[in-house]
Amino acid sequence: HRITGTGRLFSEGGGTLTNFGTLLGNRAGGLHIDCPVANHAVLRAVSPGGLSMRGMVEQFGPAAFVEGDGADVTLEHNSDINGGVVRGVNGGVVTVAPGAEAYLSNVTSEGEWVIPSSVNTTLVVDTAWTNNGLVRLAAHAATSNSVLQIDTQGLVIHGTGEVRLEESFDTQLYLTASDGTVTNGPGHTISGVGRIYGGGAEFRNQGTLSPGAPLGTLSLQTSAVLEPTSVLRIEVGDDTDILDAAGWSLTLGGTLKVELRDGVELAPCTELYVVRGDLSGTFDTHDLPVMPQGLMHVVYLASEVKISYIPGDLNGDGLLDFADYLEFLNLFDAQDPRADLNGDGLVDFGDYLEFLNLFNGGC
């Protein structure tokens, strides 16, 4: 059975609408569900319509889903979805109504989601969450904020999707669990330029952290641990990405992956900091770009991690000294392309002279 069109579904006494068919918002103005729903099948929006929901929607079984197919699904204030899949496809978006607080429990999110720019627009995630889509926190003014709130201690964000904090004004992943941990799970990405803010919970990263939008600072305002599967992705361009945990404990681990944006050439003797915080440990792996005249080097300090590029530093120890001269001779004798310091495609006496120039120039 199908209920289609535009208008409002509600129950005066608070009774539950049980759906085994299709509720379809397919006309301009959309279908507004303003009553509790026990969904065993399909809640869908298609163009030129839409679908908005207020109150509890409980989903039962693998065939139950909420979908915006070329049209938007809007979660109104106090909407609460428990279980099942909620997704946007073919340009359809799942969005939280401006100024609303909406709730998810045991949900798998897919496609594009938006927490828009408005005062106190919040999506609260509880119990369990798998995100295989893109969740955009899009506060675009200093007077607005977009919040993704995690209420359950021990929660792991599963899935292959991404949470993107798009503006530095006040987009935040808010960990409200009073203690315990909240984890960005393997395969999942948190990116952007907002902040990860703790209400007592420790943040653990097992997936990817990717500061920048496209370049910029992702702030950690809680204690954090980068676990062995963690990847911290840093891009360098006219500016550089930074993971900023200043004033908070940050345990390093996993992989530091540094990438140069297309066309970027680092000037000789460049030194950039990419991590700040009360640091302990080191990254297990450095995945660094190939440089034309030596190696990029990672420098660990008590409160900063820096990357440096010293032309002629061929062993990557951050110094230009006699050990690099010996390394150059070894590469030269082996006709290794890394000894082609002048970039002419040959390993010859010209490269020897280029190394002497670099060595004498120093940093």
PDB file of all heavy atoms in Angstrom, residues 39-57:
ATOM      1  N   ASN A  39       8.390   1.696  11.131  1.00  0.00           N
ATOM      2  CA  ASN A  39       8.625   1.529   9.698  1.00  0.00           C
ATOM      3  C   ASN A  39       9.258   0.172   9.408  1.00  0.00           C
ATOM      4  O   ASN A  39      10.364  -0.132   9.869  1.00  0.00           O
ATOM      5  CB  ASN A  39       9.557   2.638   9.182  1.00  0.00           C
ATOM      6  CG  ASN A  39       9.753   2.559   7.676  1.00  0.00           C
ATOM      7  OD1 ASN A  39       8.819   2.248   6.937  1.00  0.00           O
ATOM      8  ND2 ASN A  39      10.975   2.822   7.234  1.00  0.00           N
ATOM      9  N   HIS A  40       8.558  -0.631   8.597  1.00  0.00           N
ATOM     10  CA  HIS A  40       9.057  -1.929   8.156  1.00  0.00           C
ATOM     11  C   HIS A  40       9.426  -1.906   6.674  1.00  0.00           C
ATOM     12  O   HIS A  40       9.839  -2.943   6.142  1.00  0.00           O
ATOM     13  CB  HIS A  40       7.997  -3.004   8.397  1.00  0.00           C
ATOM     14  CG  HIS A  40       7.651  -3.195   9.830  1.00  0.00           C
ATOM     15  ND1 HIS A  40       8.155  -4.213  10.608  1.00  0.00           N
ATOM     16  CD2 HIS A  40       6.828  -2.477  10.648  1.00  0.00           C
ATOM     17  CE1 HIS A  40       7.664  -4.138  11.831  1.00  0.00           C
ATOM     18  NE2 HIS A  40       6.849  -3.084  11.882  1.00  0.00           N
ATOM     19  N   ALA A  41       9.273  -0.744   6.020  1.00  0.00           N
ATOM     20  CA  ALA A  41       9.469  -0.705   4.566  1.00  0.00           C
ATOM     21  C   ALA A  41      10.097   0.614   4.140  1.00  0.00           C
ATOM     22  O   ALA A  41      11.242   0.887   4.468  1.00  0.00           O
ATOM     23  CB  ALA A  41       8.147  -0.975   3.855  1.00  0.00           C
ATOM     24  N   VAL A  42       9.332   1.492   3.440  1.00  0.00           N
ATOM     25  CA  VAL A  42       9.943   2.615   2.729  1.00  0.00           C
ATOM     26  C   VAL A  42       9.304   3.938   3.130  1.00  0.00           C
ATOM     27  O   VAL A  42       8.083   4.104   3.032  1.00  0.00           O
ATOM     28  CB  VAL A  42       9.796   2.425   1.199  1.00  0.00           C
ATOM     29  CG1 VAL A  42      10.396   3.612   0.451  1.00  0.00           C
ATOM     30  CG2 VAL A  42      10.435   1.123   0.754  1.00  0.00           C
ATOM     31  N   LEU A  43      10.159   4.883   3.544  1.00  0.00           N
ATOM     32  CA  LEU A  43       9.784   6.293   3.658  1.00  0.00           C
ATOM     33  C   LEU A  43      10.665   7.026   2.652  1.00  0.00           C
ATOM     34  O   LEU A  43      11.894   7.024   2.779  1.00  0.00           O
ATOM     35  CB  LEU A  43      10.028   6.832   5.069  1.00  0.00           C
ATOM     36  CG  LEU A  43       9.417   6.074   6.253  1.00  0.00           C
ATOM     37  CD1 LEU A  43       9.762   6.766   7.559  1.00  0.00           C
ATOM     38  CD2 LEU A  43       7.907   5.965   6.098  1.00  0.00           C
ATOM     39  N   ARG A  44      10.057   7.696   1.664  1.00  0.00           N
ATOM     40  CA  ARG A  44      10.862   8.220   0.553  1.00  0.00           C
ATOM     41  C   ARG A  44      10.366   9.597   0.129  1.00  0.00           C
ATOM     42  O   ARG A  44       9.171   9.871   0.124  1.00  0.00           O
ATOM     43  CB  ARG A  44      10.802   7.259  -0.636  1.00  0.00           C
ATOM     44  CG  ARG A  44      11.552   7.735  -1.870  1.00  0.00           C
ATOM     45  CD  ARG A  44      11.489   6.710  -2.995  1.00  0.00           C
ATOM     46  NE  ARG A  44      12.413   5.614  -2.793  1.00  0.00           N
ATOM     47  CZ  ARG A  44      12.142   4.335  -3.052  1.00  0.00           C
ATOM     48  NH1 ARG A  44      10.940   3.996  -3.499  1.00  0.00           N
ATOM     49  NH2 ARG A  44      13.059   3.404  -2.874  1.00  0.00           N
ATOM     50  N   ALA A  45      11.348  10.438  -0.269  1.00  0.00           N
ATOM     51  CA  ALA A  45      11.054  11.720  -0.910  1.00  0.00           C
ATOM     52  C   ALA A  45      11.581  11.680  -2.327  1.00  0.00           C
ATOM     53  O   ALA A  45      12.700  11.211  -2.576  1.00  0.00           O
ATOM     54  CB  ALA A  45      11.710  12.853  -0.142  1.00  0.00           C
ATOM     55  N   VAL A  46      10.774  12.151  -3.297  1.00  0.00           N
ATOM     56  CA  VAL A  46      11.230  12.280  -4.676  1.00  0.00           C
ATOM     57  C   VAL A  46      10.842  13.668  -5.180  1.00  0.00           C
ATOM     58  O   VAL A  46       9.893  14.283  -4.691  1.00  0.00           O
ATOM     59  CB  VAL A  46      10.638  11.192  -5.601  1.00  0.00           C
ATOM     60  CG1 VAL A  46      11.076   9.803  -5.154  1.00  0.00           C
ATOM     61  CG2 VAL A  46       9.115  11.283  -5.645  1.00  0.00           C
ATOM     62  N   SER A  47      11.580  14.178  -6.159  1.00  0.00           N
ATOM     63  CA  SER A  47      11.312  15.496  -6.730  1.00  0.00           C
ATOM     64  C   SER A  47       9.949  15.496  -7.438  1.00  0.00           C
ATOM     65  O   SER A  47       9.583  14.495  -8.072  1.00  0.00           O
ATOM     66  CB  SER A  47      12.420  15.843  -7.718  1.00  0.00           C
ATOM     67  OG  SER A  47      12.211  17.114  -8.271  1.00  0.00           O
ATOM     68  N   PRO A  48       9.181  16.576  -7.308  1.00  0.00           N
ATOM     69  CA  PRO A  48       9.475  17.862  -6.690  1.00  0.00           C
ATOM     70  C   PRO A  48       9.075  17.926  -5.224  1.00  0.00           C
ATOM     71  O   PRO A  48       8.915  19.025  -4.671  1.00  0.00           O
ATOM     72  CB  PRO A  48       8.635  18.821  -7.515  1.00  0.00           C
ATOM     73  CG  PRO A  48       7.392  18.024  -7.815  1.00  0.00           C
ATOM     74  CD  PRO A  48       7.878  16.607  -8.028  1.00  0.00           C
ATOM     75  N   GLY A  49       8.909  16.788  -4.582  1.00  0.00           N
ATOM     76  CA  GLY A  49       8.414  16.752  -3.219  1.00  0.00           C
ATOM     77  C   GLY A  49       9.515  16.801  -2.187  1.00  0.00           C
ATOM     78  O   GLY A  49      10.612  17.310  -2.407  1.00  0.00           O
ATOM     79  N   GLY A  50       9.224  16.244  -1.051  1.00  0.00           N
ATOM     80  CA  GLY A  50      10.149  16.201   0.063  1.00  0.00           C
ATOM     81  C   GLY A  50       9.515  15.413   1.189  1.00  0.00           C
ATOM     82  O   GLY A  50       8.347  15.003   1.116  1.00  0.00           O
ATOM     83  N   LEU A  51      10.280  15.185   2.243  1.00  0.00           N
ATOM     84  CA  LEU A  51       9.788  14.427   3.392  1.00  0.00           C
ATOM     85  C   LEU A  51      10.373  15.066   4.634  1.00  0.00           C
ATOM     86  O   LEU A  51      11.593  15.276   4.722  1.00  0.00           O
ATOM     87  CB  LEU A  51      10.231  12.968   3.287  1.00  0.00           C
ATOM     88  CG  LEU A  51       9.670  11.970   4.294  1.00  0.00           C
ATOM     89  CD1 LEU A  51       8.174  11.781   4.096  1.00  0.00           C
ATOM     90  CD2 LEU A  51      10.402  10.634   4.164  1.00  0.00           C
ATOM     91  N   SER A  52       9.505  15.420   5.584  1.00  0.00           N
ATOM     92  CA  SER A  52       9.982  15.928   6.869  1.00  0.00           C
ATOM     93  C   SER A  52       9.381  15.083   7.973  1.00  0.00           C
ATOM     94  O   SER A  52       8.256  14.575   7.851  1.00  0.00           O
ATOM     95  CB  SER A  52       9.629  17.404   7.051  1.00  0.00           C
ATOM     96  OG  SER A  52       8.228  17.582   7.159  1.00  0.00           O
ATOM     97  N   MET A  53      10.176  14.932   9.048  1.00  0.00           N
ATOM     98  CA  MET A  53       9.757  14.039  10.133  1.00  0.00           C
ATOM     99  C   MET A  53       9.957  14.718  11.476  1.00  0.00           C
ATOM    100  O   MET A  53      10.958  15.396  11.704  1.00  0.00           O
ATOM    101  CB  MET A  53      10.561  12.735  10.070  1.00  0.00           C
ATOM    102  CG  MET A  53      10.279  11.924   8.820  1.00  0.00           C
ATOM    103  SD  MET A  53      11.188  10.370   8.781  1.00  0.00           S
ATOM    104  CE  MET A  53      12.844  10.974   8.555  1.00  0.00           C
ATOM    105  N   ARG A  54       8.980  14.494  12.348  1.00  0.00           N
ATOM    106  CA  ARG A  54       9.054  14.974  13.713  1.00  0.00           C
ATOM    107  C   ARG A  54       8.575  13.825  14.618  1.00  0.00           C
ATOM    108  O   ARG A  54       7.587  13.163  14.316  1.00  0.00           O
ATOM    109  CB  ARG A  54       8.161  16.206  13.903  1.00  0.00           C
ATOM    110  CG  ARG A  54       8.272  16.856  15.275  1.00  0.00           C
ATOM    111  CD  ARG A  54       7.187  17.905  15.457  1.00  0.00           C
ATOM    112  NE  ARG A  54       7.201  18.892  14.387  1.00  0.00           N
ATOM    113  CZ  ARG A  54       7.917  20.005  14.410  1.00  0.00           C
ATOM    114  NH1 ARG A  54       8.700  20.271  15.443  1.00  0.00           N
ATOM    115  NH2 ARG A  54       7.859  20.860  13.405  1.00  0.00           N
ATOM    116  N   GLY A  55       9.261  13.583  15.709  1.00  0.00           N
ATOM    117  CA  GLY A  55       8.882  12.492  16.593  1.00  0.00           C
ATOM    118  C   GLY A  55       9.689  11.238  16.304  1.00  0.00           C
ATOM    119  O   GLY A  55      10.668  11.239  15.555  1.00  0.00           O
ATOM    120  N   MET A  56       9.257  10.123  16.889  1.00  0.00           N
ATOM    121  CA  MET A  56      10.001   8.869  16.833  1.00  0.00           C
ATOM    122  C   MET A  56       9.697   8.085  15.563  1.00  0.00           C
ATOM    123  O   MET A  56       8.543   7.883  15.197  1.00  0.00           O
ATOM    124  CB  MET A  56       9.653   8.013  18.052  1.00  0.00           C
ATOM    125  CG  MET A  56      10.213   6.596  18.023  1.00  0.00           C
ATOM    126  SD  MET A  56      12.021   6.527  18.129  1.00  0.00           S
ATOM    127  CE  MET A  56      12.260   6.915  19.864  1.00  0.00           C
ATOM    128  N   VAL A  57      10.759   7.633  14.886  1.00  0.00           N
ATOM    129  CA  VAL A  57      10.633   6.687  13.786  1.00  0.00           C
ATOM    130  C   VAL A  57      11.487   5.481  14.144  1.00  0.00           C
ATOM    131  O   VAL A  57      12.714   5.577  14.220  1.00  0.00           O
ATOM    132  CB  VAL A  57      11.099   7.284  12.446  1.00  0.00           C
ATOM    133  CG1 VAL A  57      11.063   6.217  11.350  1.00  0.00           C
ATOM    134  CG2 VAL A  57      10.239   8.479  12.047  1.00  0.00           C
TER     135      VAL A  57
END
